[in-house]
């Protein structure tokens, strides 16, 4: 069985897309599972967070967007030091895609994944760039499901509304299998605005909003800088983040060994 492909998206930057991608990868790794992370942000935060620094000539998502070749994504997959976690790394050159005039540009990522056997993986997670540009569209044409990541703040919540509209449009055509499957609140603090926005989101979207909330805790940045999985990090209330990512994995229905 092929695993579902999920995009972690919000055109607003700094809301926790990369942190949630790597947090879920950490939870999968901790359970002995396997995940493929596809870094579609030219800033390559997920790539570096997984301890990968690309070398000249190494294939990255920039190459996948630069050509049309069915199944070529497999050539760009590298293993990381995180047990069970593989990566298609990103490179700053990926930003060139936004200004490319190629008529088939937004279809190239889907073509790069065409026909691949991804059944060894329990999850395939696409970490998205912080804009509603061609790269995000390319991801939306390639995945089955979108997790909208949002901070409980006014601007990020507005981002969710716009993303929802975009998903609906892409679903009409050209990707009818696309679903907005969860809205995930991340970086939540116990303070006025955050509590109010969380309530508004839950009133507006009901069960679409994940019950699990990712708290804003210093351990996230420390673990990221150290390039190690949250589940191996000690201190800075890492345990609270480990529990949150474990709960989120369960809530999203990502199970280990289901595709074997
Ligand atoms: N749960 C969290 N607690 C504390 N800081 C966080 C958390 N999630 C993300 N951050 C920090 O916020 C910043 C932006 O997060 P990031 O995941 O890179 O956002 P995005 O990928 O949406 O741009 C980073 O410095 C990151 O370490
Ligand atoms: Mg990011």
């Amino acid at each position: 069985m092929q695993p579902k492909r999920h995009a972690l998206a919000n055109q607003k930057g700094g809301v926790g897309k990369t942190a949630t991608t790597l947090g879920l990868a950490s939870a999968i790794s901790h359970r002995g599972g396997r995940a493929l992370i596809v870094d579609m942000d030219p800033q390559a935060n997920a790539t570096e967070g997984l301890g990968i620094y690309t070398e000249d000539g190494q294939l990255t998502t920039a190459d996948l967007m630069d050509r049309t070749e069915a199944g070529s994504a497999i050539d760009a997959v590298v293993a990381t030091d995180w047990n069970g976690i593989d990566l298609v790394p990103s490179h700053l050159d990926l930003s060139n895609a936004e200004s490319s005039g190629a008529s088939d540009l937004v279809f190239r990522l889907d073509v790069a994944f065409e026909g691949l056997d991804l059944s060894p993986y329990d999850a395939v997670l696409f970490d998205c760039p912080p804009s509603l540009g061609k790269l995000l569209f390319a991801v939306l044409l390639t995945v089955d499901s979108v997790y909208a990541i949002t901070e409980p703040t006014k601007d990020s919540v507005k981002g969710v509304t716009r993303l929802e509209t975009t998903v609906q449009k892409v679903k009409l055509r050209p990707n009818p299998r696309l679903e907005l499957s969860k809205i995930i609140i991340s970086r939540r603090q116990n303070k006025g605005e955050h509590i109010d926005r969380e309530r508004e989101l839950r009133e507006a979207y009901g069960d679409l909003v994940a019950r699990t909330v990712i708290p804003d805790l210093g351990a996230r940045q420390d673990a990221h800088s150290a390039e190690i999985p949250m589940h191996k990090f000690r201190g800075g209330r890492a345990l609270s983040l480990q529990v949150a990512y474990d709960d989120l994995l369960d809530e999203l229905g990502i199970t280990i060994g289901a595709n074997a």
Side-chain angles (χ1 to χ4, degrees), residues 8 10 12-19 21 39 41 43-46 127-130 220 224:
L8 288 90
N10 188 327
K12 177 132 186 346
V15 297
K17 293 180 289 293
T18 301
T21 305
D39 191 351
D41 186 343
Q43 307 217 33
N45 297 141
D127 188 21
C128 292
R220 149 63 202 171
H224 188 66

Side-chain angles (χ1 to χ4, degrees), residues 52-93:
I52 300 291
Y53 293 82
T54 52
E55 292 165 8
D56 285 352
Q58 184 171 347
L59 289 180
T60 68
T61 46
D63 298 288
L64 305 187
M65 293 300 292
D66 197 37
R67 63 183 71 143
T68 304
E69 201 182 319
S72 59
I74 201 75
D75 301 328
V77 173
V78 291
T80 73
D81 284 342
W82 293 27
N83 273 340
I85 307 302
D86 290 348
L87 169 74
V88 180
S90 177
H91 187 278
L92 197 54
D93 286 351

Side-chain angles (χ1 to χ4, degrees), residues 8-22 41 43 45-46 127-130 149 151 185-189 213-222 224-225 230 241 245:
L8 288 90
N10 188 327
Q11 58 275 24
K12 177 132 186 346
V15 297
K17 293 180 289 293
T18 301
T20 308
T21 305
L22 296 186
D41 186 343
Q43 307 217 33
N45 297 141
D127 188 21
C128 292
I149 313 297
E151 274 184 290
I185 298 174
S186 99
R187 304 199 62 187
R188 199 218 21 212
Q189 300 168 15
V213 167
I214 310 299
D216 191 84
L217 294 171
R220 149 63 202 171
Q221 187 55 44
D222 295 342
H224 188 66
S225 303
M230 186 57 66
L241 282 169
Y245 293 130

Side-chain angles (χ1 to χ4, degrees), residues 2-243:
Q2 296 296 317
K4 269 197 174 175
R5 304 169 186 180
H6 303 282
L8 288 90
N10 188 327
Q11 58 275 24
K12 177 132 186 346
V15 297
K17 293 180 289 293
T18 301
T20 308
T21 305
L22 296 186
L24 290 171
S26 174
I28 291 168
S29 172
H30 187 67
R31 286 184 193 179
R34 294 194 64 189
L36 178 64
I37 308 302
V38 184
D39 191 351
M40 284 300 290
D41 186 343
Q43 307 217 33
N45 297 141
T47 299
E48 294 185 3
L50 286 163
I52 300 291
Y53 293 82
T54 52
E55 292 165 8
D56 285 352
Q58 184 171 347
L59 289 180
T60 68
T61 46
D63 298 288
L64 305 187
M65 293 300 292
D66 197 37
R67 63 183 71 143
T68 304
E69 201 182 319
S72 59
I74 201 75
D75 301 328
V77 173
V78 291
T80 73
D81 284 342
W82 293 27
N83 273 340
I85 307 302
D86 290 348
L87 169 74
V88 180
S90 177
H91 187 278
L92 197 54
D93 286 351
L94 180 60
S95 59
N96 296 338
E98 292 293 355
S99 55
S100 162
S103 58
D104 67 336
L105 186 91
V106 296
F107 299 104
R108 286 180 179 171
L109 188 67
D110 189 37
V111 172
F113 278 84
E114 194 176 291
L116 291 189
D117 177 17
L118 300 173
S119 64
Y121 297 112
D122 299 298
V124 181
L125 306 176
F126 289 72
D127 188 21
C128 292
S131 66
L132 256 187
K134 293 174 185 169
L135 288 173
L136 180 63
F137 274 98
V139 175
L140 295 181
L141 300 191
T142 308
V143 299
D144 310 289
S145 133
V146 177
Y147 298 141
I149 313 297
T150 184
E151 274 184 290
T153 59
K154 194 173 171 198
D155 289 351
S156 313
V157 170
K158 228 173 16 185
V160 171
T161 314
R162 288 182 62 199
L163 181 62
E164 188 194 21
T165 310
T166 307
V167 168
Q168 292 316 326
K169 280 187 192 154
V170 173
K171 186 178 170 60
L172 280 178
R173 147 174 330 109
N175 183 1
R177 68 180 192 279
L178 192 66
E179 297 290 347
L180 177 63
S181 21
K182 272 292 174 218
I183 296 169
I184 299 164
I185 298 174
S186 99
R187 304 199 62 187
R188 199 218 21 212
Q189 300 168 15
N190 259 328
K191 63 175 193 186
E193 192 201 356
H194 283 203
I195 293 164
D196 293 345
R197 295 292 168 207
E198 179 179 353
R199 193 178 48 239
E200 281 173 25
L201 267 170
R202 291 192 188 282
E203 280 169 9
Y205 289 99
D207 287 347
L208 199 56
V209 183
R211 289 185 306 279
T212 309
V213 167
I214 310 299
D216 191 84
L217 294 171
R220 149 63 202 171
Q221 187 55 44
D222 295 342
H224 188 66
S225 303
E227 300 169 0
I228 60 173
M230 186 57 66
H231 288 71
K232 286 197 172 161
F233 193 77
R234 300 286 171 267
R237 300 190 59 198
L239 192 60
S240 302
L241 282 169
Q242 292 167 15
V243 170

